[in-house]
């Protein structure tokens, strides 16, 4: 019987180039050897990785942020998220930072909800989505935002309402969609307490403890 589990594999690369390097990401072109021996060119975005936080309060509401996303020309309801800015950065620390910076909130209980590749056919981005509970207002001054984050809106929405919005095609942010449905699946299974600990290994983005 086939084991349904993703596994590491790397096909031969005959040539590689980086035609574009941006502030946070770049575009790479690889000439990859196919199983029949042919060589095919593949272009993809090289991404440092991200973290996202499904922050759940005591009223079973998820903390959401509404933000303008220029590539899709929409304002999307999202969960707090951000890049792994430092190579080898502990993803839990990054997630705690993003929750503070974007929402001025801290959490007592952290668990790994799920790990995903956002668009593996064209981008190397890997995202670790955390479940954060025991929410309270963060200490100190609010983080000074800039650019799109100057126009953020906030809401706390019941889990059931988010599931309805996802299935109705009203909510589109991948981390929100995956996070909410993963939470529902966890509740229907062994429960959130059985989720992986916050410091669980992440082979896609190895980190320092």
């Amino acid at each position: 019987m086939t084991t349904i589990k993703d596994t590491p594999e790397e096909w031969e690369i005959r040539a590689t180039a980086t035609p574009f390097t941006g502030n946070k990401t770049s575009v790479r072109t690889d000439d990859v050897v196919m199983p029949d021996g042919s060589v095919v060119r593949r272009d993809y975005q090289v991404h440092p990785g991200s973290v996202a936080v499904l922050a759940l309060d005591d009223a079973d509401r998820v903390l959401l942020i509404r933000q303008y996303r220029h590539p899709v020309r929409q304002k999307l309801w999202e969960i707090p998220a951000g890049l792994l800015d430092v190579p080898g950065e502990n993803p839990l620390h990054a997630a705690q930072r993003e929750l503070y910076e974007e929402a001025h909130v801290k959490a007592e209980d952290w668990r790994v909800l799920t790990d995903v590749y956002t668009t593996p056919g064209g981008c190397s981005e890997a995202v670790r989505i955390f479940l954060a509970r025991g929410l309270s207002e963060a200490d100190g001054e609010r983080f000074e935002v800039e650019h799109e984050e100057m126009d953020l809106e906030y809401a706390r929405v019941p889990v059931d309402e988010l599931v309805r919005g996802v299935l109705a095609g009203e909510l589109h942010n991948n981390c929100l969609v995956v996070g909410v449905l993963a939470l529902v699946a966890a509740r229907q299974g062994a429960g959130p307490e059985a989720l992986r600990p916050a410091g669980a290994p992440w082979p896609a983005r190895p980190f320092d403890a």
Side-chain angles (χ1 to χ4, degrees):
M1 178 178 290
T2 301
T3 300
I4 307 301
K5 180 179 180 180
D6 297 336
T7 56
E9 185 165 344
E10 188 165 349
W11 292 1
E12 181 185 354
I13 298 173
R14 291 282 175 84
T16 187
T18 305
F20 170 79
T21 300
N23 185 32
K24 297 292 185 179
T25 66
S26 61
V27 173
R28 183 176 297 167
T29 298
D30 290 341
D31 291 342
V32 185
V33 180
M34 297 290 110
D36 64 356
S38 62
V39 179
V40 177
R41 181 156 293 176
R42 293 288 178 257
D43 303 314
Y44 58 100
Q45 182 184 18
V46 179
H47 194 286
S50 306
V51 291
V53 185
L54 191 84
L56 189 68
D57 69 14
D58 293 339
D60 206 40
R61 301 175 303 175
V62 176
L63 172 62
L64 298 185
I65 296 169
R66 190 173 185 234
Q67 182 170 349
Y68 175 65
R69 293 302 188 182
H70 186 70
V72 296
R73 308 299 199 273
Q74 289 194 26
K75 274 191 169 182
L76 300 180
W77 285 106
E78 307 178 351
I79 58 177
L83 297 176
L84 292 169
D85 293 324
V86 180
E89 182 178 16
N90 188 308
L92 174 60
H93 299 165
Q96 292 169 332
R97 180 188 68 235
E98 293 300 331
L99 186 59
Y100 159 71
E101 291 182 356
E102 294 194 350
H104 200 67
V105 167
K106 62 182 179 180
E108 295 298 322
D109 184 79
W110 291 81
R111 297 174 189 273
V112 175
L113 191 51
T114 190
D115 300 322
V116 296
Y117 291 113
T118 54
T119 49
C123 180
S124 67
E125 182 180 17
V127 181
R128 168 157 283 188
I129 304 176
F130 289 90
L131 173 64
R133 297 177 296 178
L135 307 184
S136 61
E137 185 174 357
D139 303 322
E141 298 293 325
R142 295 190 70 93
F143 183 76
E144 187 173 346
V145 298
E146 60 181 2
H147 307 312
E148 289 91 343
E149 293 180 347
M150 297 177 68
D151 190 44
L152 294 182
E153 300 174 48
Y154 300 89
R156 295 196 181 199
V157 183
V159 172
D160 289 347
E161 176 61 19
L162 293 177
V163 172
R164 186 207 63 77
V166 168
L167 298 181
E170 298 169 356
L171 300 170
H172 306 89
N173 175 263
N174 60 344
C175 291
L176 170 60
V177 171
V178 171
V180 166
L181 297 185
L183 174 63
V184 172
R187 287 175 167 176
Q188 293 175 347
E193 305 305 322
L195 291 168
R196 287 172 291 162
W202 189 16
R205 293 294 184 274
F207 59 90
D208 301 325

